Amino acid sequence: MKSIFGLAVALSGNFAFASKLYAASYGGSVYSLELTRANGSYELSTIDKSQDCGISPSWLMLDQPHGILYCLNEAIGATNGSITSFKAHEDGSLSTIERLTTPGGLVMSAMFSAPGVKDSEFFAVAHYETSTVTNYAVDRVKGEFHNLQTFHFEMSHPGPNTTRQDAPHPHGVFIDPSRRFVLVPDLGADLIRIFSIHSSNGTLKPMEPYHATPGSGPRHITFWAPKGTRSTTDNVYMFLVHELTNMVSGFRVNYREHVISFEKIFEGTSFGNQTAPSSSKVAEIKVSPENNHIVVSNRLDNTFGRNNDSIAIFKIADASGEYFTGVHFVGLYPAFGSSVRQFDIGGSPDRLGLALEVSQKVGVAQWDTHAGVPGNLLAEKTLDGDVPAVVWAD
């Protein structure tokens, strides 16, 4: 089933570097791409391409130490979705390991461990369309996995945004810094669903959720702690983006025995002091590699011209990343395309990989490690459909 486009040309002495990244396309393909530079010019080329993920690849999760790439198939318009594992070879080629049928609407996954389990690890998946969260045990070396639990959620009535909040819509999966809890923002129910991880078997136990502002639509989360912090439960902060209101919220995270809770310390739009354009939908949020900024993507705002959306930068710490300084809006930067559904900062050296969904492109921009902001566009690659996800291989 897998078609190979052929390996990229071997690097010559003219190349300053080469970095690989993976991309998912709603056209039904998973791509292995390579960014190279020769004589001052950058190029993004296809190494390999597979259609084994399914009809709507939506999210990629890379287990880098074991060279395994997991792909979620949202299966838009179909009854069931699926998860496929690939062996990600050093040359960039992909070979299929296993494919498992699941409830539909898969949009994000995250891997976690249980201290009492030596032979397996686990990953949880958010299913947007089917109001479901699933949990899997995985052999990380082999890339083989099986279902452990399935949680289905219901609502007694629609939320304030009746079009988007007709049912629960889990939109993300995140593991807290203590590695004891799985957090699932639910856009439809205006909740952060919280699960505790059973240390002896990796199963998940639902706990009392965090209630977000009605109608806000929680989407994605990132955590921050000062560099050098030894404890995983002290000085922890969480930042949350709300898709339906374009808000960014900051929280101090508190731990008490077997409970995690959140104290709100900040809230503002993903456009700083400006009102968000009515068409805009905030998408992704991550901490910068320097550990002193949070990076947020805005979709369909056209801030930098038609089909050129924005990346928002907020300062959260001093230059060293060791001291929290509050949340301060730095500015907006070009996204070089339409609808940045997801991004990843990585590669060698650090680059900003952009999943430009509506533009149907992968973009790679400079990352200014000194200022902690995006730089110029280096290269872009058009794929065979809308692009929801990218992840660096190195």
Side-chain angles (χ1 to χ4, degrees), residues 50 213 215 238 288 320 351:
S50 173
T213 302
M238 181 182 77
S288 69
S320 69
R351 308 288 177 183

Side-chain angles (χ1 to χ4, degrees), residues 138-154:
V138 58
D139 183 321
R140 291 183 64 182
V141 176
K142 296 180 179 179
E144 299 172 349
F145 54 97
H146 64 272
N147 177 259
L148 280 182
Q149 294 171 287
T150 299
F151 302 93
H152 181 74
F153 306 102
E154 296 181 352

Side-chain angles (χ1 to χ4, degrees), residues 271 277 279-280 298-304 308-310 332:
F271 292 82
S279 61
S280 180
N298 292 312
R299 296 176 292 168
L300 306 176
D301 58 295
N302 296 303
T303 294
F304 293 93
N308 191 353
D309 298 333
S310 65
L332 298 175

Side-chain angles (χ1 to χ4, degrees), residues 24-30 51-60 71-78 80-82 99 104-107 341 386 388-389:
S25 165
Y26 277 154
S29 301
V30 178
Q51 295 183 318
D52 281 2
C53 181
I55 60 173
S56 309
S58 58
W59 183 261
L60 299 174
C71 178
L72 307 186
N73 169 30
E74 190 173 352
I76 298 172
N80 295 314
S82 59
R99 182 174 177 181
L106 302 81
V107 291
R341 174 153 164 172
D386 291 1

Side-chain angles (χ1 to χ4, degrees), residues 1-342:
M1 294 175 66
K2 178 169 68 68
S3 61
I4 299 179
F5 270 35
L7 300 181
V9 177
L11 296 180
S12 72
N14 292 328
F15 288 103
F17 70 88
S19 288
K20 296 181 180 67
L21 68 161
Y22 305 104
S25 165
Y26 277 154
S29 301
V30 178
Y31 286 80
S32 176
L33 304 172
E34 187 168 52
L35 177 70
T36 54
R37 179 184 179 185
N39 302 320
S41 178
Y42 293 86
E43 181 181 4
L44 195 56
S45 57
T46 300
I47 301 173
D48 200 0
K49 175 183 174 181
S50 173
Q51 295 183 318
D52 281 2
C53 181
I55 60 173
S56 309
S58 58
W59 183 261
L60 299 174
M61 180 176 66
L62 178 64
D63 183 351
Q64 191 178 52
H66 299 92
I68 307 293
L69 180 70
Y70 298 86
C71 178
L72 307 186
N73 169 30
E74 190 173 352
I76 298 172
T79 301
N80 295 314
S82 59
I83 305 170
T84 302
S85 57
F86 297 92
K87 180 62 181 178
H89 300 284
E90 290 187 5
D91 62 9
S93 61
L94 300 170
S95 56
T96 305
I97 300 171
E98 182 177 15
R99 182 174 177 181
L100 181 68
T101 299
T102 70
L106 302 81
V107 291
M108 190 177 183
S109 60
M111 193 167 285
F112 61 93
S113 59
V117 182
K118 295 182 179 180
D119 299 328
S120 295
E121 295 211 10
F122 309 87
F123 64 86
V125 178
H127 302 249
Y128 179 92
E129 194 60 37
T130 54
S131 307
T132 301
V133 171
T134 53
N135 183 25
Y136 302 84
V138 58
D139 183 321
R140 291 183 64 182
V141 176
K142 296 180 179 179
E144 299 172 349
F145 54 97
H146 64 272
N147 177 259
L148 280 182
Q149 294 171 287
T150 299
F151 302 93
H152 181 74
F153 306 102
E154 296 181 352
M155 289 165 50
S156 59
H157 55 81
N161 188 325
T162 55
T163 302
R164 297 293 309 280
Q165 297 184 309
D166 58 320
H169 290 305
H171 212 314
V173 178
F174 303 88
I175 315 303
D176 83 298
S178 78
R179 314 296 294 179
R180 292 186 296 164
F181 301 96
V182 173
L183 277 61
V184 178
D186 189 326
L187 182 148
D190 288 319
L191 299 173
I192 298 179
R193 299 189 184 275
I194 302 172
F195 301 84
S196 63
I197 300 170
H198 198 299
S199 62
S200 64
N201 58 24
T203 58
L204 301 178
K205 178 183 177 181
M207 303 180 67
E208 180 67 24
Y210 173 82
H211 293 260
T213 302
S216 64
R219 179 183 171 95
H220 279 190
I221 286 170
T222 194
F223 288 94
W224 179 87
K227 278 185 179 178
T229 301
R230 295 183 179 180
S231 171
T232 59
T233 58
D234 291 336
N235 255 341
V236 175
Y237 295 82
M238 181 182 77
F239 299 93
L240 166 70
V241 288
H242 307 261
E243 179 175 331
L244 302 184
T245 57
N246 287 286
M247 299 301 288
V248 180
S249 299
F251 303 84
R252 184 174 287 107
V253 182
N254 299 309
Y255 293 91
R256 180 174 54 83
E257 295 181 352
H258 303 295
V259 177
I260 183 173
S261 61
F262 312 102
E263 175 191 354
K264 186 181 291 186
I265 59 170
F266 168 81
E267 190 156 75
T269 76
S270 58
F271 292 82
N273 297 324
Q274 306 173 36
T275 301
S278 59
S279 61
S280 180
K281 297 189 295 182
V282 67
E284 184 64 284
I285 181 168
K286 292 186 177 180
V287 173
S288 69
E290 304 80 30
N291 204 50
N292 54 16
H293 293 91
I294 55 173
V295 186
V296 175
S297 64
N298 292 312
R299 296 176 292 168
L300 306 176
D301 58 295
N302 296 303
T303 294
F304 293 93
R306 182 177 174 82
N307 297 324
N308 191 353
D309 298 333
S310 65
I311 301 293
I313 305 295
F314 294 81
K315 181 181 178 182
I316 55 172
D318 69 321
S320 69
E322 294 182 357
Y323 301 99
F324 181 65
T325 59
V327 184
H328 310 282
F329 180 65
V330 175
L332 298 175
Y333 297 80
F336 306 108
S338 180
S339 191
V340 191
R341 174 153 164 172
Q342 187 258 343

